[in-house]
Amino acid sequence: MSAKLKLEASDQEPANQEASNQPNMESERSGQEGPFAHGRTESKQSRSHATKKVIANAVAATWSYIFDKANAILNGTKQRFSNPVLASNAYRYLARQVVQDLMEIEGGKSLVFSSGTDMTTNSEVLLMFSHFLQDELSSSVIIIDATFKANGLTQLLKLGSRNGIMDILSTKQPTPTIDSVIYSLKENVSFIARGNSADHPVPYVTEQQAESIISELTQEFDYVIFQQDQIQMDTRYLPFAKSVDLVLVHLEERSTRISSYDEIKEVFADHQIYNTRYLLSEH
């Protein structure tokens, strides 16, 4: 807007300069035109002033509308994403639903949090879910970044340099103990990072390995949650999905494609994994 005003001002300057350089011509014209010349000049100036006023009012109204619209969008976004009551209720309900689904399981419970959307959103939702799972049930929770990639919760928390699940599962010796790679996020919420794939590659994972890790962690924590990317992307995900008590598949409204959803369901069905629940979040 300021550029336009400057441009208009620069257009007017030559005209004003030209008028000031020709006083004699104006004088002669005023003498020749007679008594009506002054009236016509005032009429032109009046029309010019009215036109400028209309333009100024229109510009002011336009900017007022734009600012009002922007504020409305901003306020709507804040209300949607930062309303603590709505977020709390949704995640607390999810926590209670998980308890209901796993009430027959004695001791620690194990879950896979499988993604059907982008991993940044998946990681954020997983963190919120874990927080309220611990808070609502006064339980101990541990999250394991079992994505085996650089796009999971490890990346979000900037813990890429820490040893983690890949170091434990690696065929390269020596391997660290589980206790040595557990990192505390907050009271009663712990985390195991992805680990260093370059130093400790994990070409495959067996069900025996998955069951051994699950057994050890469920003795120490009430809820053990393995984060995974889309199940069809990595065969190393399957042993964990088969071994846990429940698989939560995170889908995102208006983001997860129907074709991806169908592929996910097909993979689970082909490997006889039926203990699945689908969690739909809003983009």
Side-chain angles (χ1 to χ4, degrees), residues 13 40 69 79 103 115 155 202 211 233 243 255 280:
E13 287 174 2
R40 283 197 296 270
K69 194 72 174 175
Q79 184 178 8
M103 63 184 306
S115 179
Q155 182 185 45
V202 181
E211 290 171 357
M233 289 186 173
S243 303
S255 178
L280 182 65

Side-chain angles (χ1 to χ4, degrees), residues 185-224:
L185 296 181
K186 53 170 286 190
E187 186 177 2
N188 289 326
V189 178
S190 301
F191 178 64
I192 295 179
R194 177 191 71 251
N196 301 299
S197 58
D199 297 334
H200 291 99
V202 181
Y204 60 88
V205 177
T206 66
E207 287 188 43
Q208 184 179 0
Q209 285 178 301
E211 290 171 357
S212 176
I213 292 173
I214 292 169
S215 176
E216 185 170 349
L217 290 174
T218 51
Q219 291 178 27
E220 187 175 351
F221 296 92
D222 297 320
Y223 290 91
V224 178

Side-chain angles (χ1 to χ4, degrees), residues 6-268:
K6 288 180 181 178
L7 180 61
E8 290 176 350
S10 64
D11 287 342
Q12 290 174 355
E13 287 174 2
N16 293 337
Q17 186 176 1
E18 183 180 356
S20 62
N21 290 338
Q22 297 178 350
N24 295 333
M25 292 179 63
E26 293 295 336
S27 299
E28 292 177 3
R29 288 175 184 170
S30 61
Q32 294 173 357
E33 289 174 351
F36 297 104
H38 182 66
R40 283 197 296 270
T41 302
E42 288 183 345
S43 177
K44 290 179 181 179
Q45 292 176 346
S46 178
R47 286 197 300 271
S48 177
H49 177 73
T51 301
K52 290 179 180 179
K53 187 173 182 180
V54 170
I55 293 174
N57 290 339
V59 170
T62 300
W63 277 108
S64 177
Y65 172 81
I66 292 173
F67 283 128
D68 290 343
K69 194 72 174 175
N71 285 329
I73 294 172
L74 179 60
N75 291 334
T77 303
K78 286 181 177 179
Q79 184 178 8
R80 177 181 169 189
F81 289 101
S82 63
N83 189 324
V85 176
L86 293 179
S88 174
N89 288 342
Y91 284 103
R92 290 182 191 279
Y93 175 81
L94 176 60
R96 289 293 179 182
Q97 187 62 50
V98 168
V99 172
Q100 186 70 24
D101 288 339
L102 300 178
M103 63 184 306
E104 296 182 359
I105 306 296
E106 297 182 0
K109 282 79 172 169
S110 58
L111 301 88
V112 159
F113 198 83
S114 181
S115 179
T117 182
D118 70 275
M119 290 305 297
T120 299
T121 302
N122 179 267
S123 297
E124 292 172 349
V125 171
L126 175 55
L127 274 180
M128 290 291 289
F129 167 61
S130 302
H131 167 78
F132 283 102
L133 185 62
Q134 184 279 320
D135 184 69
E136 181 73 5
L137 307 174
S138 299
S139 57
S140 58
V141 178
I142 185 168
I143 310 166
I144 302 95
D145 182 349
T147 60
F148 306 124
K149 299 179 181 179
N151 62 348
L153 191 52
T154 299
Q155 182 185 45
L156 186 67
L157 298 176
K158 302 185 186 307
L159 295 174
S161 61
R162 295 186 65 91
N163 286 340
I165 189 69
M166 296 190 76
D167 301 283
I168 296 172
L169 292 169
S170 176
T171 55
K172 184 178 179 180
Q173 300 295 327
T175 58
T177 63
I178 290 182
D179 288 338
S180 68
V181 299
I182 294 177
Y183 176 80
S184 178
L185 296 181
K186 53 170 286 190
E187 186 177 2
N188 289 326
V189 178
S190 301
F191 178 64
I192 295 179
R194 177 191 71 251
N196 301 299
S197 58
D199 297 334
H200 291 99
V202 181
Y204 60 88
V205 177
T206 66
E207 287 188 43
Q208 184 179 0
Q209 285 178 301
E211 290 171 357
S212 176
I213 292 173
I214 292 169
S215 176
E216 185 170 349
L217 290 174
T218 51
Q219 291 178 27
E220 187 175 351
F221 296 92
D222 297 320
Y223 290 91
V224 178
I225 307 174
F226 295 88
Q227 182 190 31
Q228 295 183 348
D229 205 336
Q230 293 190 25
I231 191 69
Q232 71 272 27
M233 289 186 173
D234 197 324
T235 56
R236 292 175 295 179
Y237 295 160
L238 291 170
F240 287 101
K242 289 180 178 180
S243 303
V244 296
D245 300 316
L246 180 66
V247 177
L248 283 177
V249 184
H250 173 215
L251 309 175
E252 189 174 18
E253 188 176 6
R254 296 189 297 274
S255 178
T256 303
R257 295 175 298 178
I258 297 297
S259 57
S260 296
Y261 173 60
D262 291 338
E263 290 175 6
I264 291 169
K265 290 199 302 180
E266 185 177 350
V267 171
F268 283 127

